[in-house]
Amino acid sequence: MEHTVTTLPTARQPGCPFDPPKELVQAREHGPISRYPFPDGHQGWLITGYDLVRSVLADSRFSSRKELMRHHPTIDLGDIEVPPAPPGEFLLMDEPQHSRYRKPLVGKFTVRRMRLLTERVEQITADHLDAMEKAGPPADLVTAFAKPIPAIVICELLGVPYQDRGSFQQQVDSFLSGETSDEELMAAYTATQHYLAELVAAKRANPTDDVLSDLTESDLTDEELRGVALILLAAGLDTTANMLALGTFALLRNPAQLAALRADSALADQAVEELLRYLSVAKTFMRTALEDVELGGRTIEAGTTVILSYHTANRDPERFADPHVLDLRRQDGGHLAFGHGIHQCLGQQLARVEMRVAFPALINRFPTLRLAVPAEEVALRPETADIFGVKSLPVAWDV
């Protein structure tokens, strides 16, 4: 029978924010694809199964174009006309525009190049752990550790001057937090765009040793470079920061897994992949069918919007054994935390390097690390934020 999910659920279980909302897990139990009536009356689909999500992500008949995303999962947008993505913001574009912006970047984020950054990431991590230790417990792991490490790395890669990083991160946080008003969001977005325009102009005038300066030698316009820089900075700041904080929370709630990682440094690679699968901080994405597509025994009609549930796909029991268990020694890899297909996360190797360094360094520096508040009191980011995580993570340790 055809299953329908009437509202996109967001509530997580108290004290255990690592699992998808139970209604989404139940939808997956009914089957990998469900009907989803959008608030504006549009009849779309919710895809919760691993194989079908992966299939859509690899299928060029499903579009990422922003102007086709006219149906919001939780809000009736009425007759609002959705504009195309601004130049350079290639995540919301299809071919050939997508490749025009992504292709010049691919060589900047290879596995080899990112591994060469390991020593610098180790130094940045050690500096913040030193500061945490010196200040003493308790500490908010988000502000002391999870946010600043990826922020410094991505800012250095793109050439954001040191003195600008604090205010820049604050502006980006404002429009990614999911908690600001529409007016505040637009003000932060506009301020960030203005700053990036000035940064691009400065790199053109006086190139330095960074990715953005290198891109000024391509045929991309200043407006396109500004859009590319926005995508890279926002992604580099937000996703890894939330993985570091929420991942630490998950490890603290799974002491046997934490002990296994502390005892075996060679487990770091597997641990990172399992945390990526288990947490799936990029929860959902959407695509629009460009033509009629047969999918999972259903016909997805042209113009129909589909919601792709990454967090249930990565907990699909048909793909992963005991999917709701955090197992750092898990062998069945292949998660979708970084997506799949042409839009697969460009910075995934950078994120991996940061996490492979940061998690072991943190838990080995502070062997008695623990939550400083009950798990139920840890403040979660709202589900309106594109990336899930915690707003703060109070921790303590023995001195």
Side-chain angles (χ1 to χ4, degrees), residues 16 27 92 200 245 262 327 345 379:
C16 187
L92 297 174
V200 168
R262 183 178 284 127
D327 178 6
C345 176

Side-chain angles (χ1 to χ4, degrees), residues 196-206 222:
L196 290 174
E198 292 182 338
L199 184 63
V200 168
K203 298 299 180 185
R204 281 209 189 276
N206 297 291
D222 284 7

Side-chain angles (χ1 to χ4, degrees), residues 36-44 71 303-306:
Y36 184 75
F38 284 76
D40 62 2
H42 173 73
Q43 292 299 311
H71 313 287
T304 300
T305 299
V306 297

Side-chain angles (χ1 to χ4, degrees), residues 114-127 129 145 149 153 240 244 261 265 268-269 271-272 349-365:
M114 294 303 99
R115 284 180 177 165
L116 291 174
L117 279 174
T118 299
E119 188 174 332
R120 178 60 183 142
V121 174
E122 289 173 343
Q123 182 59 59
I124 293 168
T125 301
D127 289 346
L129 293 177
F145 180 78
I149 293 172
V153 172
T240 307
L244 289 174
L261 179 56
S265 60
D269 287 10
V272 165
Q349 301 305 336
L350 174 59
R352 284 186 168 106
V353 167
E354 291 170 336
M355 287 185 280
R356 286 168 184 166
V357 168
F359 282 128
L362 172 69
I363 65 175
N364 286 313
R365 175 69 74 91

Side-chain angles (χ1 to χ4, degrees), residues 299-365:
T299 298
I300 313 297
E301 297 180 348
T304 300
T305 299
V306 297
I307 302 171
L308 306 176
S309 174
Y310 280 30
H311 44 7
T312 55
N314 281 334
R315 299 288 189 94
D316 189 337
E318 293 187 15
R319 178 63 180 78
F320 302 100
D322 297 320
H324 300 299
V325 173
L326 178 66
D327 178 6
L328 302 190
R329 298 189 185 278
R330 182 180 294 276
Q331 297 299 314
D332 48 357
H335 61 75
L336 297 174
F338 290 122
H340 179 65
I342 65 168
H343 286 282
Q344 190 172 38
C345 176
L346 180 70
Q348 62 181 287
Q349 301 305 336
L350 174 59
R352 284 186 168 106
V353 167
E354 291 170 336
M355 287 185 280
R356 286 168 184 166
V357 168
F359 282 128
L362 172 69
I363 65 175
N364 286 313
R365 175 69 74 91

Side-chain angles (χ1 to χ4, degrees), residues 211-223:
V211 170
L212 193 53
S213 292
D214 290 348
L215 290 175
T216 62
E217 298 176 5
S218 69
D219 64 350
L220 299 179
T221 67
D222 284 7
E223 186 180 19

Side-chain angles (χ1 to χ4, degrees), residues 138-219:
D140 176 7
L141 201 76
V142 171
T143 55
F145 180 78
K147 276 187 178 179
I149 293 172
I152 291 171
V153 172
I154 196 67
C155 284
E156 288 186 357
L157 270 175
L158 292 180
V160 176
Y162 181 82
Q163 65 272 18
D164 296 344
R165 289 174 194 166
S167 59
F168 180 79
Q169 182 178 339
Q170 196 170 29
Q171 294 289 0
V172 174
D173 282 347
S174 294
F175 68 81
L176 293 175
S177 68
E179 294 189 286
T180 53
S181 66
D182 290 345
E183 293 78 13
E184 291 170 325
L185 187 150
M186 283 308 301
Y189 179 79
T190 301
T192 303
Q193 291 279 41
H194 179 70
Y195 174 79
L196 290 174
E198 292 182 338
L199 184 63
V200 168
K203 298 299 180 185
R204 281 209 189 276
N206 297 291
T208 48
D209 184 17
D210 53 70
V211 170
L212 193 53
S213 292
D214 290 348
L215 290 175
T216 62
E217 298 176 5
S218 69
D219 64 350

Side-chain angles (χ1 to χ4, degrees), residues 27 40 74 80 108 117 127-128 154 209 213 220 224 232 246 324 345 358 361 375 387 391 399:
D40 62 2
T74 58
I80 294 176
K108 313 293 184 188
L117 279 174
D127 289 346
H128 284 82
I154 196 67
D209 184 17
S213 292
L220 299 179
E224 291 172 323
L232 294 177
L246 193 63
H324 300 299
C345 176
I387 305 299
K391 291 191 287 187
V399 178

